[in-house]
Amino acid sequence: MSLMLLVAYACLLSIAFVIYRFIQATSKLPPAGCGVAPVPPFRPWWDILDLHMLFSEIYAAWDNTLHTFERSTWDRLCEKSGYTVRTMGFSRLGTTTVYTTDPVNINAILVSQFPDFLVGGRRHSLEPLLGYQILSIDGHAWKQSRNKIRPAVTRERVNDLNAYEMHTAALLKEIEHHGKRGTRTIELQSLFEHHTLVISMDFYGLTNSSSQVDDKDAKLFASAFGLAQGYLIHRVMLGKLYMLADSPAFRRACKACHDIVDKKAMPKWIRVHAFKHANPTLQDAMPTHRVFDELVQVTDSYTRLRSEILGLIIATRDNAAVVMTWMFYYLARHPETYNLLREAVVQHFGHIANPEQPLSFEALKACTYLQYCIKEALRLEPPITRSLKTAAQDTTLPRGGGADDSLPIFVPKGTDVIWSTREMQRDQEYWGKDADEWRPDRWYTARPTIAYAPFNAGPRTCPGQQMGLTLVAYTMVRIVQQYERIESCETEDVPKIVTGLVGFKHGGVKVRMIPATF
């Protein structure tokens, strides 16, 4: 009897949900002149709870094949529609979702209609690890956070290349050590992750009394940070059901990250604010040589400081490590481009044993082919492959409706809007028939358009972008000076991308590196 009651209750709840969804879908009709985005053609008839798309995404995320699932979804929808579809609409657990790869729509979300779209519920998904910081807040609080961080990560502050050199020398020793092992096969991604983490911890004040980064703390932080990020992306994907992606292991990982930041940053924050309180007239004269020094002075709450540091570590460490990982993945598979890059680096900077000029921000920017390789890696494999916002009010997107995708589409308040930067930056209409191919020389004629936004665009452009790109360029020059050739040791034809806040390569990047002879 109890089982029959449970079945009856489940049926009633399902019926109620369907009625609710129908009322929700029809309560706000599109205004005149607006169309409706097409829906995926493969929803099963029995899926009255809108679970098929959600479960398909979660499985693909678990299998680290979310990017191939997205591509196949678009291909099937285009085949059904008979034209190139770049925007579709579907429902997940009663929540309307718009999914787009259209550069015009993405530009509207990020730039021209910026106030219409907010981070929204993503704040709750990210809060256990990242707290209350620039990546997860909106409105006046976000503006305050942005205004504090921007001065701290100016070009002058992140252009401390002495710190880059010290840590890059340690990376080169690690690469040399791994290369001397029996197979001479080196897995670079893990080395890049550690390298960029140590530099980020240095810049953001997570050092010991000797101003050095504790290697044990760095490794513990990396392990906990990686585990916690895996949970965060699933919490974001679950939307309003984010609390289902939780566990004691996730909470322990978040606490471990917080404890490491607290151990390094809290004593410094207390000292600075005690000094400011005791000497209010001298606070403007306090030294602010590093990013961390500036953040400490402009942040009144220590909890907020910790959150901002964690957000900046993602913006700098993860982005830089991802870019270098994919650069070496493609360079190893295309040795002709590595040869061209090495020629450019040696011409600009000389051999590592006989340098022509010191590495500076200006010199790195002037090395054209190096910059083209970085741009091409960012185009093919942007660090953040897709993003999400929520409509703050009833609004529209410029394209996606009608029989040919040309009409605006109505986006009711509360609608989740997902966009894929990776798919947008591989759009053949903007990048040509070879959009999926690694070709750095395309940048001799290509110019960034609205179809190129690896660090987002508009007011919410990544604050750690400049530091990350400088770190990538500096590290690449030093490695290329040291090694004459690289060879790919990869066996898979289609790489998997780790489902996380950023798109690391699943399994890392395995190469063989042949040192230069002088």
Side-chain angles (χ1 to χ4, degrees):
M1 183 66 177
S2 59
L3 180 60
M4 291 181 63
L5 282 174
L6 286 174
V7 172
Y9 286 145
C11 291
L12 287 173
L13 285 173
S14 298
I15 294 170
F17 182 83
V18 172
I19 295 172
Y20 159 75
R21 193 181 65 189
F22 176 78
I23 294 173
Q24 183 188 48
T26 57
S27 60
K28 291 183 178 179
L29 297 176
C34 285
V36 178
V39 298
F42 37 85
R43 174 185 164 194
W45 64 267
W46 47 263
D47 186 21
I48 59 175
L49 295 179
D50 295 317
L51 296 176
H52 182 264
M53 178 64 82
L54 177 62
F55 285 167
S56 297
E57 283 189 322
I58 290 174
Y59 175 78
W62 173 80
D63 192 42
N64 297 304
T65 54
L66 190 58
H67 60 299
T68 56
F69 169 76
E70 289 177 344
R71 174 63 66 92
S72 65
T73 300
W74 288 110
D75 289 345
R76 293 166 70 183
L77 185 53
C78 291
E79 183 180 354
K80 176 202 173 190
S81 304
Y83 61 91
T84 302
V85 179
R86 294 185 176 88
T87 302
M88 63 178 165
F90 54 90
S91 182
R92 294 190 299 182
L93 297 174
T95 299
T96 302
T97 301
V98 171
Y99 187 17
T100 186
T101 65
D102 191 329
V104 174
N105 286 343
I106 295 171
N107 187 68
I109 296 165
L110 296 176
V111 184
S112 60
Q113 295 174 228
F114 175 76
D116 291 354
F117 299 93
L118 302 176
V119 169
R122 191 173 73 189
R123 177 176 66 253
H124 305 297
S125 302
L126 303 178
E127 189 274 332
L129 176 65
L130 301 180
Y132 191 72
Q133 44 72 50
I134 193 169
L135 298 178
S136 60
I137 54 179
D138 290 305
H140 181 66
W142 167 76
K143 289 180 180 179
Q144 283 187 318
S145 183
R146 180 192 61 181
N147 291 339
K148 290 176 180 178
I149 286 177
R150 273 186 174 175
V153 292
T154 58
R155 171 178 150 186
E156 289 75 15
R157 294 190 188 281
V158 304
N159 201 20
D160 181 7
L161 298 189
N162 290 327
Y164 285 57
E165 178 57 36
M166 176 181 66
H167 295 301
T168 304
L171 170 65
L172 290 172
K173 286 184 179 179
E174 280 294 307
I175 293 175
E176 182 180 4
H177 170 71
H178 284 262
K180 288 179 179 178
R181 294 178 178 175
T183 62
R184 296 179 63 85
T185 299
I186 306 169
E187 197 290 286
L188 287 175
Q189 181 170 265
S190 58
L191 298 180
F192 290 152
E193 288 184 70
H194 183 74
H195 172 59
T196 55
L197 175 60
V198 169
I199 289 183
S200 298
M201 293 177 75
D202 188 355
F203 268 75
Y204 301 137
L206 306 186
T207 56
N208 57 28
S209 56
S210 303
S211 298
Q212 299 293 316
V213 176
D214 188 306
D215 192 62
K216 181 179 178 181
D217 279 347
K219 291 178 179 178
L220 177 60
F221 184 90
S223 176
F225 207 53
L227 190 153
Q229 284 192 61
Y231 275 87
L232 292 187
I233 192 63
H234 286 92
R235 289 166 68 89
V236 171
M237 290 177 65
L238 285 168
K240 293 181 174 63
L241 298 179
Y242 66 89
M243 70 288 296
L244 295 178
D246 207 334
S247 75
F250 169 55
R251 296 291 172 167
R252 285 194 299 270
C254 294
K255 186 177 185 302
C257 294
H258 294 172
D259 288 347
I260 291 171
V261 175
D262 293 348
K263 181 171 68 173
K264 305 297 184 182
M266 184 181 287
K268 300 174 186 179
W269 183 87
I270 291 173
R271 286 199 302 271
V272 168
H273 283 268
F275 179 86
K276 288 176 65 176
H277 181 74
N279 305 275
T281 61
L282 298 179
Q283 57 180 296
D284 291 337
M286 295 178 65
T288 58
H289 301 301
R290 294 191 308 165
V291 174
F292 176 75
D293 299 326
E294 179 74 21
L295 288 174
V296 167
Q297 291 210 46
V298 299
T299 308
D300 294 329
S301 161
Y302 172 73
T303 303
R304 185 67 173 272
L305 173 66
R306 179 218 285 158
S307 297
E308 300 291 10
I309 288 173
L310 289 168
L312 283 169
I313 287 176
I314 288 179
T316 303
R317 174 255 190 179
D318 287 5
N319 287 348
V322 167
V323 174
M324 288 191 288
T325 292
W326 287 108
M327 279 184 73
F328 270 94
Y329 172 81
Y330 286 109
L331 286 168
R333 284 175 165 253
H334 299 83
E336 71 283 358
T337 59
Y338 185 83
N339 293 338
L340 289 172
L341 176 59
R342 179 165 165 75
E343 287 177 10
V345 166
V346 171
Q347 180 181 350
H348 276 77
F349 305 106
H351 295 281
I352 198 165
N354 186 27
E356 294 285 335
Q357 63 171 315
L359 271 64
S360 65
F361 178 86
E362 292 77 12
L364 292 170
K365 293 291 286 185
C367 187
T368 304
Y369 198 73
L370 169 66
Q371 295 301 323
Y372 289 171
C373 286
I374 294 173
K375 287 182 178 180
E376 187 71 347
L378 285 167
R379 185 188 69 82
L380 286 172
E381 308 294 349
I384 300 177
T385 59
R386 71 178 196 167
S387 303
L388 177 148
K389 281 194 174 186
T390 303
Q393 59 194 22
D394 289 350
T395 186
T396 61
L397 287 174
R399 299 196 306 201
D404 59 356
D405 225 23
S406 62
L407 292 178
I409 59 170
F410 177 56
V411 183
K413 179 180 179 180
T415 300
D416 287 337
V417 180
I418 301 172
W419 68 95
S420 173
T421 304
R422 188 177 189 271
E423 286 296 312
M424 175 186 74
Q425 294 183 170
R426 290 167 174 254
D427 193 321
Q428 293 186 6
E429 180 180 323
Y430 293 87
W431 298 100
K433 296 294 184 182
D434 61 352
D436 287 323
E437 297 177 14
W438 165 263
R439 193 168 66 80
D441 60 355
R442 77 174 71 245
W443 291 95
Y444 282 110
T445 55
R447 293 293 178 267
T449 66
I450 58 173
Y452 182 76
F455 294 104
N456 277 335
R460 292 197 84 122
T461 299
C462 176
Q465 172 182 347
Q466 194 60 69
M467 178 179 171
L469 291 177
T470 303
L471 171 55
V472 168
Y474 191 98
T475 306
M476 289 298 300
V477 167
R478 285 294 185 237
I479 294 175
V480 172
Q481 284 179 315
Q482 185 90 13
Y483 291 93
E484 186 172 357
R485 299 197 321 273
I486 57 173
E487 300 171 357
S488 176
C489 299
E490 300 285 331
T491 57
E492 58 185 6
D493 293 327
V494 180
K496 291 186 175 183
I497 300 176
V498 175
T499 303
L501 294 183
V502 295
F504 285 108
K505 182 182 177 297
H506 183 258
V509 173
K510 301 176 182 65
V511 299
R512 188 174 292 110
M513 306 184 72
I514 294 84
T517 55
F518 306 104

